Amino acid sequence: DCWLFATTGILEDSYRRYGVSKGWFPKDKYLRLSRQALGIASMELCKKYPNSFCTANIGPNNSIIWGNTTEGLDGADEHLFAYLKGVGDIGALPDSVCPYSPVADYWKERECDGLDEARKTNPLKFKVTAMRGHYERGAIKRA
């Protein structure tokens, strides 16, 4: 789940900085997004649009089960959001709607009472418009 924490951290910072710069988010406030809701959104979309960045488990007869977990055997990473364009429309919810479950359990990572209702009225969205990878120490420091 470390990719969920990293991604929501980036989104929280980006949302806050943009909001403060535009004057509609108070400088002394912070937003905490739901890691759980983002994970659920990614699982839903990975089931619908499987790709190599989606989490996967091995099922019966060595079949691949896409979007079955936020962990998966191969994990996932931030590149997932470049391929799952719709996650920004349904995955950005306040933590109060859907607190993170630290229990490593197939069913617990899907729990979020009120998720469908919250999605109907939620104004938060994000869009991944570009991605750049930095692999060398100098390039990372400059980024």
Side-chain angles (χ1 to χ4, degrees), residues 107-124:
W107 294 109
K108 289 276 186 204
E109 62 187 335
R110 290 172 162 59
E111 283 183 5
C112 182
D113 294 334
L115 177 65
D116 293 333
E117 198 59 38
R119 283 179 175 169
K120 290 177 188 174
T121 59
N122 183 39
L124 300 176

Side-chain angles (χ1 to χ4, degrees), residues 81-82 85 126-132:
F81 299 109
K85 304 288 187 198
F126 69 89
K127 182 190 269 186
V128 177
T129 57
M131 294 199 64
R132 287 181 294 252

Side-chain angles (χ1 to χ4, degrees), residues 52-83:
S52 62
F53 293 112
C54 287
T55 56
N57 283 351
I58 302 300
N61 301 318
N62 290 324
S63 61
I64 297 175
I65 303 173
W66 295 104
N68 198 39
T69 179
T70 57
E71 291 288 339
L73 294 176
D74 200 19
D77 65 26
E78 70 282 355
H79 295 95
L80 177 64
F81 299 109
Y83 292 89

Side-chain angles (χ1 to χ4, degrees), residues 22-65:
K22 297 296 183 184
W24 49 261
F25 198 86
K27 290 180 184 179
D28 62 338
K29 298 287 182 190
Y30 293 86
L31 170 70
R32 182 169 172 95
L33 292 173
S34 171
R35 283 93 178 126
Q36 191 88 353
L38 192 61
I40 292 169
S42 70
M43 285 189 287
E44 290 172 352
L45 291 170
C46 277
K47 277 188 176 292
K48 194 171 182 180
Y49 308 108
N51 67 69
S52 62
F53 293 112
C54 287
T55 56
N57 283 351
I58 302 300
N61 301 318
N62 290 324
S63 61
I64 297 175
I65 303 173

